């Protein structure tokens, strides 16, 4: 009888993959690399999609430390993997390790999806298009038509959000970061993308950068539709307030990349102000769907993924 996969495999398991997973049916040929990785819901999201799509493989977790990352990537080829996802803390390191990459990976400097193609590792970033699609689904409006503010523009997810907004030529883009210099450097990179834009400039700068301080937020928020939280804050009740509640207005749309808890303080404050708010669950879903499409070059069974993800949260309660 085929056995159940482990909660997470190790680099030793990967070195001896045939012995570690030989009794799995279907075979494990997709994974998520992370450290930690046990919290990842990607297997619960991808396995129903693989079954629905008729793929003879399954998706497992691999606990890979930074010191073993390069070896683990090389082993993907030897062990007949289709590809992998990578999560904290490896997205930057994998960016530097792949043989080739997509344009969005090149611009975001980050790889969260790898395809093994004819002995080559091809990197892609699906956080950026996943965010774009999640916003469309949550608010029935495209990034391109919104004046966007990204909190945490100096971090990995914030950079992906800014790059996607710039690729879409969002109506306006305001980069916000605690460490101003990081966001300012990103703004300089993005400037040429906006220079190509044919839209007319309004009364405020189309592309701007500010420190994460109340006086600057207050000035800019009047000219913003969508606020994206891409900081690492929001998961704990003790986290500092990202935006004082009185600055939130009914016309604002809030997209918080955090999904646990399902309603963050920022989202709660926004709803109280009459604004609309969504958490990051749909971004997780759509980045997964884009990964599936990158691996198999066909449309992902998104509803199976959505159901799997939902069940994983229900089972955790
Ligand atoms: P990261 O690279 O570590 O970036 C963290 C960001 O948060 C930085 O911009 C940092 O500013 C800012 N920050 C940290 N503490 C702060 C504070 N006290 N006040 C203001 N800003 C602060 O993290 P990441 O990988 O981008 O992830 C960010 C968040 O996005 C995490 O919650 C992650 O789980 C979430 N995420 C969700 C999805 C999804 O699918 N829903 C996908 C990717 C990421 P400095 O530059 O000043 O340090």
């Amino acid at each position: 009888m085929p056995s159940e996969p482990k909660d997470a495999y190790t680099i030793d398991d990967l070195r001896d993959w045939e012995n570690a997973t030989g009794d799995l049916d279907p075979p494990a040929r997709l994974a998520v690399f992370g450290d930690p990785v046990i919290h990842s819901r990607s297997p619960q999201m991808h396995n129903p999609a693989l079954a629905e799509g008729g793929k003879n493989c399954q998706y497992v977790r691999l606990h890979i430390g930074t010191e073993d990352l390069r070896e683990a990537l090389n082993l993907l080829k030897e062990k007949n993997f289709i590809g992998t996802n990578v999560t904290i803390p490896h997205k930057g390191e994998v960016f530097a390790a792949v043989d080739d990459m997509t344009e969005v990976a090149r611009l975001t400097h980050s790889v969260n999806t790898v395809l093994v193609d004819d002995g080559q590792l091809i990197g892609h970033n699906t956080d950026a298009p996943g965010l774009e699609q999640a916003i469309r689904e949550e608010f029935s409006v495209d990034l391109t038509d919104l004046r966007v503010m990204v909190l945490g523009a100096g971090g990995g997810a914030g950079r992906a959000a800014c790059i996607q907004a710039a690729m879409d030529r969002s109506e306006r883009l305001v980069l916000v970061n605690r460490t101003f210099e990081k966001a300012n450097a990103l703004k300089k990179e993005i400037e040429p993308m906006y220079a190509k834009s044919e839209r007319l400039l309004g009364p405020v700068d189309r592309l701007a950068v500010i420190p994460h301080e109340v006086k600057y937020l207050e000035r800019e928020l009047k000219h913003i539709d969508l606020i994206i939280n891409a900081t690492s804050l929001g998961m704990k009740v003790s986290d500092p307030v990202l935006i004082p509640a009185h600055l939130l207005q009914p016309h604002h749309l809030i997209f918080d990349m955090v999904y646990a808890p399902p309603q963050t303080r920022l989202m709660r404050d926004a709803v109280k102000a009459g604004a609309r708010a969504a958490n990051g669950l749909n971004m997780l879903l759509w980045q997964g769907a884009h990964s599936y499409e990158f691996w198999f070059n066909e449309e992902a069974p998104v509803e199976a993924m959505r159901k799997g993800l939902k069940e994983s949260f229900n089972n955790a309660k």
Side-chain angles (χ1 to χ4, degrees):
M1 199 170 117
S3 63
E4 287 292 303
K6 284 191 198 174
D7 285 343
Y9 290 89
T10 64
I11 184 71
D12 283 334
D13 291 326
L14 185 59
R15 287 177 185 134
D16 194 10
W17 202 234
E18 298 75 11
N19 267 330
T21 65
D23 53 355
L24 290 184
D25 182 19
R29 295 183 61 212
L30 285 163
V32 51
F33 288 6
D35 182 13
V37 76
I38 200 79
H39 65 281
S40 171
R41 292 172 193 273
S42 293
Q44 293 102 311
M45 174 170 65
H46 277 292
N47 281 322
L50 294 169
E52 176 87 10
K55 308 294 176 203
N56 185 36
C57 59
Q58 65 178 288
Y59 185 113
V60 295
R61 297 184 192 89
L62 264 160
H63 188 162
I64 302 292
T66 309
E67 64 286 2
D68 296 320
L69 184 63
R70 296 268 174 155
E71 181 188 355
L73 286 170
N74 277 324
L75 284 168
L76 289 179
K77 305 180 218 171
E78 204 180 291
K79 305 297 180 186
N80 199 25
F81 270 70
I82 294 163
T84 189
N85 283 130
V86 288
T87 183
I88 291 170
H90 301 316
K91 293 180 188 180
E93 179 68 19
V94 175
F95 168 78
V98 291
D99 301 303
D100 201 357
M101 68 183 74
T102 59
E103 174 73 353
V104 64
R106 191 181 64 72
L107 288 169
T108 53
H109 294 186
S110 157
V111 164
N112 77 331
T113 307
V114 176
L115 167 72
V116 183
D117 183 21
D118 207 13
Q120 299 263 298
L121 299 178
I122 316 296
H124 186 28
N125 182 304
T126 67
D127 285 333
L131 171 73
E132 179 192 52
Q133 191 114 15
I135 284 164
R136 185 177 300 136
E137 184 170 283
E138 295 287 359
F139 303 123
S140 307
V141 57
D142 284 334
L143 260 183
T144 187
D145 295 321
L146 293 168
R147 299 171 298 170
V148 181
M149 172 180 279
V150 178
L151 308 175
R159 183 183 172 95
C162 292
I163 293 292
Q164 188 62 55
M167 285 170 76
D168 289 351
R169 309 279 189 275
S170 289
E171 197 66 37
R172 202 173 171 235
L173 177 59
V174 177
L175 285 64
V176 183
N177 206 51
R178 177 179 61 174
T179 311
F180 177 78
E181 264 322 307
K182 284 204 243 168
N184 198 32
L186 177 58
K187 178 186 173 249
K188 290 201 172 92
E189 271 183 63
I190 287 176
E191 264 162 5
M193 296 169 79
Y194 267 94
K196 280 188 224 149
S197 163
E198 284 163 11
R199 289 194 202 178
L200 293 175
L201 292 178
V204 282
D205 286 344
R206 181 113 193 256
L207 180 63
V209 56
I210 58 169
H212 199 148
E213 290 171 28
V214 173
K215 64 178 175 185
Y216 298 102
L217 289 172
E218 186 165 18
R219 194 184 64 202
E220 294 294 340
L221 278 167
K222 295 178 197 125
H223 309 286
I224 290 296
D225 308 306
L226 173 69
I227 303 165
I228 298 174
N229 175 30
T231 73
S232 41
L233 304 182
M235 280 174 272
K236 293 188 272 184
V237 271
S238 55
D239 279 347
V241 173
L242 283 164
I243 296 181
H246 72 275
L247 296 185
L248 296 166
Q249 299 163 27
H251 79 271
H252 284 144
L253 306 171
I254 315 295
F255 188 88
D256 200 326
M257 288 197 190
V258 170
Y259 48 82
Q263 193 181 45
T264 61
R265 179 177 184 157
L266 175 64
M267 291 169 64
R268 230 181 4 258
D269 286 346
V271 171
K272 271 193 206 152
R276 291 163 66 196
N279 69 26
L281 199 58
N282 264 341
M283 177 174 171
L284 182 65
L285 170 73
W286 284 105
Q287 65 78 28
H290 281 278
S291 292
Y292 184 105
E293 287 167 14
F294 190 58
W295 293 322
F296 297 110
N297 199 22
E298 65 184 47
E299 204 175 315
V302 178
E303 291 317 311
M305 299 177 102
R306 196 191 301 277
K307 190 162 168 265
L309 207 48
K310 201 173 162 197
E311 279 170 8
S312 83
F313 279 95
N314 290 343
N315 294 341
K317 278 178 192 158

